[in-house]
Amino acid sequence: MAGVALTAAASAANAYVIDFTKASTGHSGSLFQGAVTWHLSSSGILNNSQSFDGNPTPAGTGLSFETDGYGVGRNDDEISTWPNRYEWIDITFSAPVLIDAIYFLDLFRSADGSSLEVGKASINGGNPLITLAATDTAGTGASGFVGTTFGPVFASVIRFTVLASNDGYGVADGALAGIGIAPVPVPAAGVMLLGGLAGLGALRRRRKAA
């Protein structure tokens, strides 16, 4: 199992980020000293082999930006949507975790401003948790980075896709760059609660003995 890249984020909103722009992250890993594991699956071949080529490099995310993030395809580092084809990437956790940020790369607006690419993340098979609309213009050398932080949300499975709107080049596509993880996982919270109850019980026994 490949080790996950856990990096202290610059933003106070999230404690860690699973960094899909780090070349060594791989398709699976663990969080919180192994308390929770995660793995990626997709509609095709997972690929994060393309080197990051945006300018400037986004700051304040905890991402390394060694690569352009994960996409689907043997020679493609982006999640694509076009007629009769719909690509996706899922991340599945062994136990629910609190997520508080989502990051995409390679989402662009068309040069004339008439359309833009949109990344989508859906949680536990339900409605979209977020949709992130491109802000960078295609063809300018920018990274197409879009990210957002939010109040922590429990997740066991997150599906990442791209909507059909386009940037005027080829097909609608974008890359998964990272996921922010809040500091306390569900298993750890349970252990803390049990530890607190045990401590209260011990304190009561001491008082009775006195």
Side-chain angles (χ1 to χ4, degrees), residues 1 20-22 35 39 48 58 81-83 95 98 109 122 131-132 134 136 160 166 192 206-207:
M1 179 177 290
F20 296 118
T21 71
K22 190 171 182 65
H39 74 272
N48 77 332
T81 297
W82 65 92
L98 290 168
R109 303 174 61 90
S122 301
T131 55
L132 289 175
D136 289 340
F160 300 92
N166 207 315
M192 290 170 63
R206 288 194 194 101
R207 286 177 176 172

Side-chain angles (χ1 to χ4, degrees), residues 14-76:
N14 56 286
Y16 302 104
V17 60
I18 303 178
D19 183 2
F20 296 118
T21 71
K22 190 171 182 65
S24 61
T25 295
H27 302 168
S28 59
S30 61
L31 302 168
F32 310 110
Q33 291 77 50
V36 178
T37 60
W38 61 267
H39 74 272
L40 295 180
S41 56
S42 71
S43 56
I45 297 171
L46 286 162
N47 184 356
N48 77 332
S49 61
Q50 181 173 313
S51 297
F52 178 76
D53 57 4
N55 184 40
T57 301
T61 63
L63 299 173
S64 63
F65 295 107
E66 296 174 0
T67 76
D68 260 348
Y70 265 104
V72 179
R74 188 180 301 278
N75 301 305
D76 184 8

Side-chain angles (χ1 to χ4, degrees), residues 176-193:
L176 172 59
I179 304 170
I181 306 291
V184 180
V186 173
V191 170
M192 290 170 63
L193 176 61

Side-chain angles (χ1 to χ4, degrees), residues 114-193:
S114 63
S115 61
L116 49 79
E117 293 173 324
V118 179
K120 182 177 79 170
S122 301
I123 183 170
N124 299 338
N127 293 325
L129 170 64
I130 60 154
T131 55
L132 289 175
T135 58
D136 289 340
T137 301
T140 62
S143 65
F145 176 78
V146 187
T148 186
T149 58
F150 43 85
V153 177
F154 284 117
S156 297
V157 180
I158 311 170
R159 172 159 292 191
F160 300 92
T161 59
V162 176
L163 301 185
S165 53
N166 207 315
D167 62 0
Y169 287 81
V171 301
D173 52 22
L176 172 59
I179 304 170
I181 306 291
V184 180
V186 173
V191 170
M192 290 170 63
L193 176 61

Side-chain angles (χ1 to χ4, degrees), residues 194-210:
L194 290 174
L197 292 173
L200 286 173
L203 181 60
R204 286 174 180 167
R205 287 195 295 273
R206 288 194 194 101
R207 286 177 176 172
K208 286 181 179 178

